[in-house]
């Protein structure tokens, strides 16, 4: 009851497993939340859209077609558009739930490269069942089993010398 849910939602950006672009242009997808937050002026919005698309790893592919519907992008591009859309509202935390689960290896690599760049400026929580992805992207890893936290620590330690046998069994493919 003491938590302002609206304020909490402003501080958190969420990217889901399935991309959810708005049925609007690429430009409008990114500008949407910023406008709702009170940002006005074409120059200011233009700069914000470009910055967000650059940070989201989509600017080079979309710069000449900002008026194209976000729905016409590939799945990986749509996912990066959704990431750019949340970056435009400057969240403190970014939560990604299996953001590459339906993507091809090249699109997955682009998302992972983007996350590695963003983690210098944002707290990123990545939910993934892909242990190789966690090893490539995460600084710290938490292993959950049946909804309970089993172990948390530096990724290198978790993947090379876990403290809990259940973590080791999962990483070695003994179950899961």
């Amino acid at each position: 009851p003491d938590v302002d849910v609206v304020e909490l939602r402003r501080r958190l950006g969420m990217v889901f497993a399935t991309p959810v672009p708005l049925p609007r242009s690429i430009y409008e997808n990114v500008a949407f939340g910023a406008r709702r937050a009170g940002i006005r002026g074409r120059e200011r919005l233009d700069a914000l859209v470009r910055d967000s698309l650059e940070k989201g790893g989509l600017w080079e592919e979309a710069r000449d077609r900002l008026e194209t519907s976000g729905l016409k992008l590939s799945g990986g591009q749509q996912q990066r558009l959704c990431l750019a859309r949340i970056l435009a509202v400057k969240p403190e935390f970014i939560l990604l739930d299996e953001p590459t689960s339906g993507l091809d290896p090249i699109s997955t690599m682009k998302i992972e490269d983007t996350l590695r760049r963003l983690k210098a400026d944002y707290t990123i929580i990545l939910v993934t069942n892909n242990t190789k992805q966690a090893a490539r992207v995460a600084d710290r890893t938490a292993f959950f089993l049946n909804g309970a936290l089993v172990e948390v620590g530096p990724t290198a330690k978790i993947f090379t010398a876990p403290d809990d046998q259940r973590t080791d069994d999962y990483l070695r493919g003994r179950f899961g």
Side-chain angles (χ1 to χ4, degrees), residues 20 32 38 41 43 54 56 66 70 79-80 83-84 92 102 105 107 118 126 143 158 160 170:
V20 187
F32 182 83
E43 285 183 21
E54 284 176 347
L66 296 177
Q79 197 66 299
R80 287 180 282 140
L83 182 56
E92 288 178 51
S107 294
L118 290 174
L126 171 65
F143 175 62
I158 294 290
T160 59
Y170 180 76

Side-chain angles (χ1 to χ4, degrees), residues 118-139:
L118 290 174
K119 71 183 179 179
D121 298 316
Y122 295 92
T123 298
I124 299 175
I125 302 164
L126 171 65
V127 177
T128 183
N129 289 307
N130 183 334
T131 56
K132 292 177 181 176
Q133 181 173 67
R136 288 189 301 263
V137 176
D139 294 328

Side-chain angles (χ1 to χ4, degrees), residues 4 43 50 74 86 91 168:
D4 180 349
E43 285 183 21
R50 179 180 178 145
S74 71
I86 65 167
D168 190 56

Side-chain angles (χ1 to χ4, degrees), residues 2-142:
D2 298 343
V3 175
D4 180 349
V5 176
V6 173
E7 178 57 28
L8 180 61
R9 287 182 182 146
R10 280 191 186 113
R11 296 172 57 201
L12 176 73
M14 177 78 190
V15 176
F16 299 96
T18 302
V20 187
L22 301 172
R24 300 170 185 250
S25 71
I26 294 168
Y27 184 97
E28 290 301 323
N29 262 274
V30 178
F32 182 83
R35 280 198 180 107
R36 299 224 5 134
I39 296 174
R40 301 282 184 264
R42 186 64 185 204
E43 285 183 21
R44 193 168 173 203
L45 285 169
D46 286 352
L48 181 68
V49 166
R50 179 180 178 145
D51 181 63
S52 299
L53 287 169
E54 284 176 347
K55 287 179 180 172
L58 188 58
W59 175 251
E60 291 303 319
E61 295 166 60
R63 68 191 301 165
D64 296 326
R65 52 188 184 144
L66 296 177
E67 297 309 316
T68 302
S69 171
L71 299 172
K72 293 195 176 200
L73 297 172
S74 71
Q77 290 171 325
Q78 286 184 9
Q79 197 66 299
R80 287 180 282 140
L81 176 62
C82 292
L83 182 56
R85 187 174 64 216
I86 65 167
L87 293 172
V89 295
K90 312 240 183 280
E92 288 178 51
F93 309 93
I94 299 172
L95 175 60
L96 302 106
D97 182 15
E98 296 281 356
T100 62
S101 63
L103 301 181
D104 63 88
I106 299 299
S107 294
T108 296
M109 180 184 68
K110 288 179 180 182
I111 296 280
E112 290 177 3
D113 289 345
T114 300
L115 294 178
R116 279 191 286 274
R117 284 192 311 274
L118 290 174
K119 71 183 179 179
D121 298 316
Y122 295 92
T123 298
I124 299 175
I125 302 164
L126 171 65
V127 177
T128 183
N129 289 307
N130 183 334
T131 56
K132 292 177 181 176
Q133 181 173 67
R136 288 189 301 263
V137 176
D139 294 328
R140 294 181 54 78
T141 296

